[in-house]
Amino acid sequence: MIVTSESLSHFIQLGGIDWKELVRVLSSIGLEVEREYETTIPQNVVVAKVLKRIQHPNADKLSVCEVDIGTEVLQIVCGAKNVYAGQYVALALIDSVLPFGKDGSTTITKSEIRGVDSFGMLCSSTELGLPKLNDGILELDSSIGELVLGRELYTYSIFHQSVLELGITPNRGDCLSVLGVARDIASVFNLIPKNIVANEPSIALGVGRFLQVVPHGDLHSSLLYRIIEIKEGYTPLAIALTLGLNGRYKQCPMSNFAEYATYMTGVLFNVYPMDSNNVSNNGKEAKLLIKADENGLESVYAEFHENETTRHTKLTSIGATFYEVEKHDYPRTFILEASFIDSVLIANNTYGMDKTKLTHEVLHRSVRGSNPDLELGMNFMCKSLESLNSNLYSGVQEILRAYSPTNIQMTFEYISDCIGNTIEKEEIALLLKRLNFRIQATCDENFFIAQPPAFRNDIKSKQDIAEEVLRLYGVDNIHPKKHIIEQIPQTTQAYITHQKTKKLRTKALAHGYIECVHYVFDDSKKLESLGFEPLNEDKKLLNPITSELDTLRPSLIPHILESLSKNKRYGYEGIRLFEIGYVYDKDRNARQNLAFAMSDYLKTPSYPNPKGIGLDFFNFAQNVSEIIGNFECINTASKFQKSRLIHPYQSANMLQNGVIIGVMSKLHPNIAEMYDLGNVYFCEIDFALLLAQQQDDKLAKEFSKYQANKRDLTLLLDKNVSFRAIKSELEKASLHDIKEILPLDIYHENDDNIALSIRFIFQSMHDTLTESQMQESLQKILDILEQRFHAKLKL
């Protein structure tokens, strides 16, 4: 919503209010100022009058004008078609700088145009930095003030005004008009809005003699009609500039007056010309019918009688469409229509309709709430039309629907409790009265009945009234209070689980895995062929959804393999999938699992690896560890051996913090062939066990600032001794300076023995380790391994 200081001055007197303070207050009461600027006119642009216009001797499209500026008459060459003698225009004198041109400005100089001297420039609205109003020069009229030849335009208030762009919330439809904004300003600064009173009709002809309005059925709309005769039709410059700043200027003068009255007062207007064949068949009398159309919208129809037949022509739908006035010579007689319909009713009736058949601007206003004060709007419309040579007919035709006022039972104590501060009841009553509420007192001094004004259709409850009091009282005037009750932490186990799950999902996505979701049902025959146990007889599904989905899945992997297979057939390489879902044992006990699967490549062929990077057990394990955290791989447990998915040589249990959380394996070649897959690795993890091992992130971790050192040992061992057993034994010994123990390589010495190379990383938290200290630790290691595993140092 755009309002200007000039438009506001029609309703309130702003002379004593600081503009910066006004901007601050508007934002504080909910009418957020999104932009503030001023309209300006360059200096040395003056009021002038065209005395004479002749054709340019050397150019068909140019004119030579004699222009009076009060102190002298200047010769001006002009190319505009709308120049004529007796016209008041805006003249840019020599040395004036206009806001247009290649670099954003143009300096006016004496020039010779086709052999004729020109001493200035007649300006269009856009050349002065104003909105476009026509295709020619800007024509001045008395609506901007007294036209004094030679007076600079920037001294007229209409050309030098402050502009505010307001962000209006959907509930404040009343502030989609200048009057609505002016009311709020008057409430804050305790101003008295001006009364809008039109002059008495200039002719005694009554509306009833020329217009008949007939309602049909039980209507919900209110309508008010007057008739006016316009002898000369044009849009006064002050009105044109106001509409232009809002992007609402039209070329039809009467459409501009209707738009201007709606913009200023919030009352919806239509204008029907009596000389139109759609409105009257004789140009003198008209009969309007108000009834519902085929869509249930209350509409205005014109009734015609021809050859003993009656026909109805639809003019507008109330609150939904706008009547377009066709061009015609003046004088003309018009029917002025002010209308109102409840915002909820029009919103419900137009819901789902083809909006191309409706007028967006009209519907936007009516759905958010137009002004029901039709008399005020009509008075403003008629007063605006007084600037034209016009005759207003006496009397009105109206259809008024009686609206029951909204009465809200309130207590002063409730308002204070909502706001959080104690406000005196006298002050609350005063604030509400300044907001145009009616207050009905009762015998109980704390209890009262509040009646919102008719234009505030958004106020329905006690909370709305408390908000209105707070809005006017001022948020800055509310004194802060300490919390009476200490806030209870809302972190629950469910929330912690959700956060950990969300974090794992995010990591998986960051590593290129795509989440998939499959049915919890599966094919029992296929599962049995893959080595999974079927449901117990008494737990089987009695009414499966299909014959292929006749049991509950015991694992996430079979469905994932099907998805891998489908994607491979579509031509995708290096597919990565993961899923979090429920699986069921043979007794139908549910648990949540997490599964990862990767096929063919760790990195697909692309520069700088034209052949890609192959996938193996170890880089898959490292990839998964970057998502779920570090884990160890130990020999596969016997419970997984029944599954035909497990590879006989490349599989392992996943051990995290001493707990087996799942299994990792390469897909068995026979199963890979069954699914038409190649190199596939997968893992399936008990999700509850995994989450139990996930540690909360710490903001800081202790680290050593001293140097780390590496030492390698190669040991001769029995072939049945695993690295994990060695590492576990050394960890029990609590050798504090050993930071990490890593396997390097393994050699088969003979049928019974192996040579295992192990790397030890030494680092102290307290000082730099000496060689003798590290040798001493290595000797302890050798002693432990020799005693426990009969290990010998290989020389």
Side-chain angles (χ1 to χ4, degrees):
M1 177 66 188
I2 297 176
V3 297
T4 66
S5 52
E6 277 295 303
S7 61
L8 287 171
S9 66
H10 285 79
F11 302 108
I12 53 175
Q13 180 58 253
L14 295 173
I17 300 175
D18 180 71
W19 190 255
K20 295 296 182 184
E21 176 64 11
L22 175 63
V23 171
R24 185 195 69 79
V25 168
L26 283 175
S27 294
S28 71
I29 63 174
L31 305 182
E32 183 178 355
V33 179
E34 296 178 345
R35 186 185 174 203
E36 175 198 2
Y37 61 96
E38 289 190 355
T39 60
T40 57
I41 291 288
Q43 294 184 349
N44 290 328
V45 178
V46 301
V47 176
K49 184 178 182 179
V50 179
L51 301 179
K52 183 179 180 182
R53 173 184 180 270
I54 62 173
Q55 180 66 44
H56 193 291
N58 301 317
D60 294 338
K61 295 184 179 181
L62 297 179
S63 303
V64 180
C65 302
E66 292 182 5
V67 181
D68 185 7
I69 61 171
T71 56
E72 59 180 319
V73 176
L74 301 176
Q75 178 174 278
I76 307 294
V77 177
C78 178
K81 297 180 180 180
N82 64 330
V83 181
Y84 60 89
Q87 182 183 37
Y88 285 89
V89 293
L91 173 64
L93 301 176
I94 293 174
D95 294 332
S96 61
V97 181
L98 303 185
F100 75 95
K102 184 176 181 181
D103 299 321
S105 64
T106 298
T107 301
I108 304 302
T109 60
K110 176 187 175 183
S111 58
E112 183 180 311
I113 303 175
R114 293 290 185 94
V116 177
D117 290 337
S118 181
F119 298 89
M121 175 180 172
L122 302 186
C123 302
S124 67
S125 60
T126 55
E127 288 166 341
L128 295 174
L130 300 172
K132 183 178 179 179
L133 302 180
N134 55 28
D135 292 327
I137 62 170
L138 179 67
E139 184 171 0
L140 306 180
D141 59 46
S142 59
S143 67
I144 68 172
E146 183 183 359
L147 297 177
V148 179
L149 296 181
R151 179 179 173 181
E152 294 199 51
L153 285 188
Y154 78 86
T155 62
Y156 288 88
S157 59
I158 192 69
F159 294 118
H160 186 76
Q161 57 180 323
S162 299
V163 182
L164 298 178
E165 292 185 11
L166 304 177
I168 305 299
T169 54
N171 65 311
R172 294 302 307 274
D174 61 302
C175 287
L176 291 177
S177 66
V178 176
L179 175 59
V181 177
R183 285 195 188 107
D184 261 23
I185 295 174
S187 298
V188 175
F189 291 98
N190 201 18
L191 304 176
I192 299 176
K194 300 177 182 178
N195 288 327
I196 306 298
V197 180
N199 291 336
E200 289 298 318
S202 53
I203 57 178
L205 294 175
V207 172
R209 294 175 56 185
F210 303 95
L211 175 63
Q212 185 180 3
V213 181
V214 180
H216 278 211
D218 185 15
L219 299 177
H220 298 85
S221 305
S222 294
L223 297 158
L224 180 65
Y225 292 94
R226 298 202 73 160
I227 295 179
I228 191 168
E229 180 186 355
I230 308 295
K231 296 182 180 180
E232 182 183 3
Y234 66 93
T235 304
L237 181 56
I239 293 177
L241 285 175
T242 300
L243 294 176
L245 286 172
N246 287 271
R248 298 175 177 178
Y249 179 77
K250 302 177 182 179
Q251 293 303 316
C252 173
M254 287 306 294
S255 294
N256 281 334
F257 275 99
E259 182 63 39
Y260 179 67
T262 298
Y263 162 71
M264 293 294 287
T265 67
V267 176
L268 299 179
F269 274 94
N270 272 301
V271 177
Y272 307 123
M274 295 280 281
D275 52 30
S276 170
N277 291 332
N278 293 328
V279 179
S280 172
N281 56 5
N282 60 12
K284 297 180 180 179
E285 298 175 343
K287 182 177 181 180
L288 301 181
L289 272 64
I290 317 301
K291 62 180 182 178
D293 65 5
E294 65 279 4
N295 296 312
L297 297 178
E298 295 182 7
S299 304
V300 180
Y301 290 82
E303 182 176 289
F304 300 92
H305 298 282
E306 297 176 352
N307 301 323
E308 298 184 354
T309 62
T310 302
R311 65 180 177 89
H312 295 156
T313 301
K314 184 177 177 179
L315 302 180
T316 58
S317 294
I318 300 169
T321 59
F322 179 79
Y323 187 84
E324 292 291 342
V325 180
E326 67 276 11
K327 290 185 178 180
H328 198 282
D329 294 334
Y330 285 81
R332 301 183 77 181
T333 301
F334 293 92
I335 302 171
L336 307 180
E337 175 193 84
S339 64
F340 172 77
I341 188 168
D342 182 75
S343 59
V344 175
L345 181 66
I346 190 67
N348 291 338
N349 287 348
T350 57
Y351 180 77
M353 286 187 59
D354 183 3
K355 294 300 187 288
T356 59
K357 298 180 180 180
L358 307 176
T359 306
H360 171 74
E361 293 80 3
V362 176
L363 191 62
H364 177 71
R365 289 192 183 103
S366 58
V367 166
R368 295 179 70 174
S370 60
N371 188 353
D373 193 343
L374 304 186
E375 183 179 358
L376 181 149
M378 185 62 78
N379 284 344
F380 188 90
M381 177 73 157
C382 295
K383 190 173 182 62
S384 301
L385 287 168
E386 289 174 4
S387 59
L388 304 183
N389 185 2
S390 61
N391 292 323
L392 181 66
Y393 289 25
S394 63
V396 299
Q397 289 275 38
E398 60 184 342
I399 299 174
L400 296 180
R401 175 178 171 81
Y403 291 94
S404 299
T406 301
N407 292 318
I408 303 174
Q409 298 180 358
M410 291 290 299
T411 63
F412 293 108
E413 184 180 0
Y414 175 83
I415 293 176
S416 294
D417 289 343
C418 281
I419 294 175
N421 279 195
T422 300
I423 305 177
E424 296 296 330
K425 60 181 182 180
E426 292 80 9
E427 185 171 4
I428 292 175
L430 178 61
L431 293 176
L432 290 175
K433 287 179 180 179
R434 284 164 56 181
L435 287 165
N436 297 291
F437 282 75
R438 291 186 64 186
I439 305 298
Q440 299 178 31
T442 65
C443 57
D444 185 347
E445 293 185 356
N446 187 42
F447 182 81
F448 67 96
I449 297 174
Q451 187 181 109
F455 55 83
R456 290 300 305 274
N457 66 323
D458 58 305
I459 298 176
K460 305 293 184 184
S461 65
K462 297 189 295 183
Q463 293 85 351
D464 293 334
I465 295 181
E467 182 181 350
E468 286 299 297
V469 173
L470 175 60
R471 198 166 63 87
L472 208 60
Y473 184 75
V475 175
D476 294 340
N477 296 323
I478 302 299
H479 302 294
K481 292 184 177 181
K482 294 182 179 180
H483 288 294
I484 300 174
I485 303 175
E486 185 177 352
Q487 185 176 3
I488 300 173
Q490 298 299 312
T491 303
T492 63
Q493 187 58 46
Y495 176 76
I496 294 171
T497 300
H498 166 74
Q499 288 294 93
K500 288 182 177 180
T501 304
K502 181 180 177 182
K503 183 177 179 181
L504 285 170
R505 273 197 172 97
T506 303
K507 285 185 176 181
L509 293 171
H511 282 76
Y513 287 88
I514 299 172
E515 185 172 10
C516 50
V517 180
H518 298 102
Y519 283 123
V520 297
F521 304 105
D522 210 334
D523 188 338
S524 60
K525 293 180 180 179
K526 181 177 288 187
L527 290 175
E528 288 183 31
S529 70
L530 295 176
F532 292 101
E533 288 186 294
L535 292 174
N536 288 336
E537 194 65 30
D538 61 333
K539 299 294 183 180
K540 289 185 178 181
L541 302 182
L542 298 179
N543 187 25
I545 57 176
T546 67
S547 58
E548 290 80 16
L549 299 173
D550 62 346
T551 190
L552 295 170
R553 62 183 177 185
S555 169
L556 302 175
I557 300 302
H559 280 320
I560 290 179
L561 293 178
E562 291 175 3
S563 294
L564 288 173
S565 179
K566 288 180 182 178
N567 279 278
K568 187 170 184 179
R569 288 199 298 271
Y570 292 146
Y572 293 101
E573 295 180 314
I575 308 164
R576 303 184 184 192
L577 300 177
F578 83 99
E579 182 174 7
I580 301 174
Y582 283 95
V583 298
Y584 301 83
D585 63 14
K586 62 182 181 179
D587 295 317
R588 282 174 61 171
N589 296 316
R591 75 173 185 275
Q592 201 172 23
N593 277 8
L594 165 66
F596 293 94
M598 187 185 299
S599 67
D600 298 327
Y601 294 100
L602 181 67
K603 289 188 178 180
T604 55
S606 61
Y607 181 83
N609 301 299
K611 295 184 179 181
I613 298 178
L615 182 62
D616 58 36
F617 186 91
F618 298 103
N619 54 32
F620 176 67
Q622 181 182 357
N623 187 269
V624 172
S625 71
E626 291 171 354
I627 300 172
I628 69 170
N630 292 331
F631 61 88
E632 297 181 57
C633 290
I634 60 174
N635 292 336
T636 307
S638 58
K639 68 177 182 178
F640 293 106
Q641 296 298 344
K642 294 181 181 180
S643 173
R644 293 182 57 204
L645 302 175
I646 303 297
H647 195 283
Y649 306 114
Q650 298 189 47
S651 60
N653 278 340
M654 301 170 67
L655 187 73
Q656 195 173 64
N657 299 326
V659 178
I660 295 177
I661 60 171
V663 63
M664 177 176 289
S665 176
K666 181 178 181 179
L667 184 63
H668 195 287
N670 294 339
I671 306 303
E673 184 179 355
M674 178 192 303
Y675 284 96
D676 195 23
L677 294 171
N679 196 27
V680 175
Y681 287 86
F682 68 88
C683 68
E684 187 163 13
I685 301 165
D686 187 314
F687 198 54
L689 292 177
L690 174 64
L691 291 181
Q693 310 307 314
Q694 299 293 303
Q695 300 295 322
D696 295 331
D697 292 337
K698 295 181 179 179
L699 296 177
K701 295 181 180 179
E702 189 178 9
F703 67 94
S704 175
K705 64 180 180 180
Y706 299 102
Q707 176 181 347
N709 296 277
K710 302 174 184 177
R711 296 293 184 270
D712 299 337
L713 291 179
T714 301
L715 304 171
L716 290 174
L717 295 162
D718 184 279
K719 67 177 184 180
N720 294 319
V721 177
S722 67
F723 170 75
R724 181 176 177 276
I726 293 173
K727 183 177 180 182
S728 178
E729 195 68 28
L730 293 177
E731 287 175 346
K732 292 178 184 177
S734 300
L735 301 171
H736 301 296
D737 293 336
I738 298 179
K739 182 179 180 182
E740 202 165 358
I741 305 173
L742 302 170
L744 288 183
D745 209 345
I746 186 171
Y747 304 92
H748 291 276
E749 289 288 308
N750 50 50
D751 293 340
D752 298 320
N753 297 314
I754 59 171
L756 177 63
S757 296
I758 304 176
R759 170 165 292 175
F760 298 91
I761 299 177
F762 294 89
Q763 189 176 30
S764 172
M765 297 296 295
H766 310 292
D767 53 21
T768 301
L769 295 175
T770 64
E771 184 64 30
S772 60
Q773 288 174 317
M774 288 185 285
Q775 289 298 329
E776 183 180 349
S777 295
L778 286 173
Q779 187 59 50
K780 289 180 181 179
I781 292 170
L782 287 172
D783 292 342
I784 293 170
L785 297 181
E786 182 177 3
Q787 181 181 357
R788 178 66 179 81
F789 302 107
H790 307 291
K792 300 292 182 182
L793 183 64
K794 182 176 174 63
L795 302 175

